[in-house]
Amino acid sequence: MKLGKIGIIGLGKMGMAIGRSLKGSSLMGYDIRPAAKRAASRSGITPAKDSLELVSKSNIVILAIKPQEMKEVLVNIKDAVTARHLFVSIAAGISTRFIEKAAGEARVVRVMPNIALIAGRGAAAVCRGKRASRKDEFIVKEIFRRSGKVFSVAEKHINAVTALSGSGPAYFFEMIGHLIRSACDLGLDKQTCKNLAIQTAKGAVALLETTGKEPAELRDMVSSKKGTTAEALKVLKKYRLGSILDKAVKAAWKRAGQLSTA
Ligand SMILES: NC(=O)c1ccc[n+]([C@@H]2O[C@H](COP(=O)([O-])OP(=O)(O)OC[C@H]3O[C@@H](n4cnc5c(N)ncnc54)[C@H](OP(=O)(O)O)[C@@H]3O)[C@@H](O)[C@H]2O)c1
């Protein structure tokens, strides 16, 4: 599918990764940091001299700046926005309504991706604003399909998505980091611990995907009565891993709500 002319404002971690995943498309990028523009140019993204030029030369504008920069960026580009523009925002907490109010006639689709899109294994959820069409949503899903899996959600659920998959990679990094340290304490060298932990995480995910079984069912397959896994699971239960994760996800969800703009 031909995506048309795409411009990316904000060439940081996410903006650059999205740009790289769209190799072969007509791509323009803008960032206030000259080094980011040079890096984009090396990746085949044409640097724009400012955000106004980018908007006037694009049909699809991906807003990949931090939430706190959104208002200023929208004010700067206002004069170049027309009804032909489809705006795609990945900023946490910024509603489609906020962008619609600030961006004239543009249609708006909001996406909550995650950092795994850098490795082509992202999880993204998409919702559309009131002027965006099904076709707009389809186009945006096509963009994020290049770097992972994409799902549609209602905008009222986007903070839950942020708490689960937007922030989620960090939960796994934290847990895997602890597992590596614990195994190192037992005398294994760090690289071997890391290799085994990564392969174990991949294997667990592959089993979830290929068997379609529930996590609890697979957990019970690893654990035999009085065995080693059962002992470890007893400790996780005693120290309430479930409750810790529940509190963490709900804290992220609450924070997303606090950061939200109407
Ligand atoms: N990182 C994640 O895991 C993740 C996951 C889901 C969603 N998101 C969302 O993705 C967005 C981008 O996050 P990120 O992690 O890629 O941030 P980032 O690495 O800080 O990238 C943002 C880039 O935008 C630049 N910038 C600042 N003001 C600008 C302006 N007025 N015009 C053009 N460029 C400007 C920044 O420059 P300076 O550094 O000089 O400010 C930086 O290079 C955020 O809204 C975030 O909520 C991120």
Side-chain angles (χ1 to χ4, degrees), residues 5-9 26-30 54-55 57-63:
K5 292 181 177 167
I6 303 174
I8 304 173
I9 303 182
S26 164
L27 272 182
M28 185 169 248
Y30 173 69
L54 179 139
V55 173
K57 291 186 174 168
S58 308
N59 301 321
I60 299 173
V61 177
I62 300 177
L63 299 162

Side-chain angles (χ1 to χ4, degrees), residues 64-211:
I65 60 264
K66 293 273 189 216
Q68 58 271 25
E69 281 134 19
M70 185 64 79
K71 196 171 177 186
E72 188 195 319
V73 167
L74 291 173
V75 168
N76 286 342
I77 60 180
K78 200 170 190 322
D79 291 342
V81 180
T82 67
R84 83 162 195 278
H85 285 109
L86 170 59
F87 276 23
V88 183
S89 166
I90 64 163
I94 304 283
S95 68
T96 53
R97 196 162 148 250
F98 178 87
I99 300 171
E100 281 165 350
K101 273 201 282 185
E105 301 168 88
R107 288 113 57 216
V108 180
V109 172
R110 182 175 172 190
V111 183
M112 178 44 62
N114 73 13
I115 197 103
L117 65 76
I118 292 174
R121 301 282 172 87
V126 170
C127 58
R128 61 188 148 107
K130 70 175 188 319
R131 284 198 290 268
S133 64
R134 276 178 193 279
K135 188 178 169 207
D136 292 329
E137 184 176 337
F138 184 81
I139 290 169
V140 175
K141 286 176 105 168
E142 187 55 37
I143 290 174
F144 285 86
R145 221 171 265 139
R146 310 267 170 115
S147 54
K149 292 203 173 171
V150 194
F151 307 88
S152 292
V153 295
E155 191 163 10
K156 66 178 179 192
H157 294 311
I158 207 98
N159 291 344
V161 171
T162 306
L164 175 61
S165 53
S167 302
Y171 313 155
F172 287 96
F173 297 143
E174 181 70 4
M175 282 190 285
I176 291 171
H178 282 297
L179 292 174
I180 292 170
R181 275 189 291 279
S182 300
C184 282
D185 286 348
L186 302 175
L188 262 180
D189 70 275
K190 192 167 178 200
Q191 196 53 51
T192 304
C193 291
K194 199 172 169 192
N195 292 343
L196 287 170
I198 292 171
Q199 186 57 21
T200 302
K202 280 191 190 168
V205 169
L207 276 175
L208 280 166
E209 279 189 335
T210 56
T211 65

